[in-house]
Amino acid sequence: MPDPTELLVVGSVALDSRDGPFGKVKEELGGSAVYFALAASLLMPVRVVAPVGRDGVEKVLRAFSNKPIDARLLAVVDAPTYRWTAHQEHGHNVDMGSADTIYDHWDPAVPADFSGWAFVGSMRPDQQARAMKLLHRTRLLSADAMLSYVRRQTPEAKDVLKRAAWFFCNEEEFAALGGHDPEQFRRQWWLDGLVIKKGPQGVDTHTADGSVHVPALPGHPAFDTTGAGDAVAAGMLARWLSTGAQRSGLQDALVCGVACASLTIESIGIRGIASATPALLEERMAEVWECMKRES
């Protein structure tokens, strides 16, 4: 029997300061690698590659403890952990700036023989592209976008897009990258799959087989939408991979991604997805399927 395909995430560890309807939080643990790993670990083991400062390492290791998350490739860097500041209104984060000098002190390092599935989460695009060059042997290489970085480092963001087989973005990021028609965009960039996250309207996925829509799940609070996109990607990729990665399983994988996002946004920061269980995820997936039946 061949070894099971591994899942790996390269991304950010963040200490977020945000305000919104939920109140204010200061130096709340977050980051694309953290949200992705917590969501994916509900379905399968996941390896994490990310930089973290000495001021943040205890928080992230505590969040990962007792979960099937391999944090041995976390790089503890002599620089402040990435900081992100945002204001949330109407379920949308308004980026108020970041402090990302940690990326100037970090050289991405991945296992030399890694050939599984990899997700390169949102972080500074020049570092995303560096990581993706190292992951050229992967069976599926996916990446995400972040609007402020797309605008600030457009050529580097397009380099990330060029290297990805699957690409995740929201509608604003899609437009900032020159997108108008999703299928035309997918073909232009030679993508196997394009996932457009639409917040309360759900998720649309475009492949050569056509498009698949999964609605967002009503009936649960959208308390803090930070990390929802990372959870969508984690749930989708981990479910699809763990169920055989067949084309016929894509809709089921997307349902899992939406369920992971629902679990994430009903609490502040990582608290919802960190406290979730596989059984709770299955229940939430059943709710998404039921919602889809009502809409059809």
Side-chain angles (χ1 to χ4, degrees), residues 56-263:
V57 65
E58 287 187 14
K59 283 188 176 183
V60 70
L61 292 178
R62 190 162 56 245
F64 289 170
S65 65
N66 300 316
K67 299 180 185 296
I69 299 173
D70 183 346
R72 289 176 293 177
L73 291 171
L74 275 177
V76 182
V77 179
D78 286 321
T81 298
Y82 171 69
R83 258 77 170 177
W84 182 57
T85 304
H87 169 69
Q88 191 168 120
E89 54 186 30
H90 307 300
H92 176 75
N93 277 316
V94 179
D95 192 329
M96 306 296 287
S98 60
D100 61 5
T101 56
I102 194 168
Y103 295 129
D104 298 325
H105 303 271
W106 177 56
D107 292 317
V110 304
D113 59 347
F114 186 80
S115 60
W117 283 23
F119 174 76
V120 181
S122 59
M123 58 179 173
R124 209 169 72 187
D126 60 320
Q127 290 288 46
Q128 281 185 293
R130 287 184 69 192
M132 294 175 82
K133 290 176 186 177
L134 300 174
L135 290 165
H136 64 278
R137 294 180 59 188
T138 56
R139 298 180 198 176
L140 187 149
L141 182 56
S142 57
D144 201 355
M146 183 172 177
L147 182 61
S148 58
Y149 279 136
V150 169
R151 289 172 171 167
R152 195 185 319 164
Q153 291 193 355
T154 304
E156 291 85 353
K158 289 187 175 180
D159 188 27
V160 170
L161 178 56
K162 179 179 68 177
R163 297 176 185 280
W166 278 77
F167 192 71
F168 294 76
C169 58
N170 63 31
E171 292 176 292
E172 290 178 292
E173 293 152 357
F174 178 65
L177 287 164
H180 299 285
D181 175 77
E183 179 56 21
Q184 182 182 30
F185 184 88
R186 186 190 70 80
R187 293 197 307 267
Q188 175 189 349
W189 291 100
W190 295 87
L191 296 170
D192 292 335
L194 171 66
V195 181
I196 301 180
K197 300 165 287 184
K198 296 185 172 184
Q201 280 72 53
V203 179
D204 288 347
T205 298
H206 305 270
T207 71
D209 294 330
S211 60
V212 176
H213 172 74
V214 175
L217 185 61
H220 293 278
F223 199 61
D224 178 7
T225 57
T226 307
D230 302 307
V232 165
M236 177 204 146
L237 293 172
R239 177 75 172 191
W240 204 21
L241 178 56
S242 64
T243 55
Q246 299 299 308
R247 290 159 70 176
S248 60
L250 179 57
Q251 185 179 52
D252 172 76
L254 286 168
V255 166
C256 186
V258 168
C260 283
S262 176
L263 292 169

Side-chain angles (χ1 to χ4, degrees), residues 1-66:
M1 292 286 291
D3 292 335
T5 302
E6 291 185 293
L7 180 62
L8 177 145
V9 57
V10 184
S12 64
V13 173
L15 296 176
D16 296 338
S17 294
R18 297 180 283 106
D19 68 89
F22 50 79
K24 294 184 179 181
V25 294
K26 185 173 178 63
E27 304 219 326
E28 183 86 7
L29 181 63
S32 58
V34 174
Y35 279 105
F36 184 98
L38 290 171
S41 70
L42 293 170
L43 296 132
M44 65 182 297
V46 58
R47 303 172 77 172
V48 179
V49 177
V52 61
R54 299 188 187 280
D55 53 353
V57 65
E58 287 187 14
K59 283 188 176 183
V60 70
L61 292 178
R62 190 162 56 245
F64 289 170
S65 65
N66 300 316

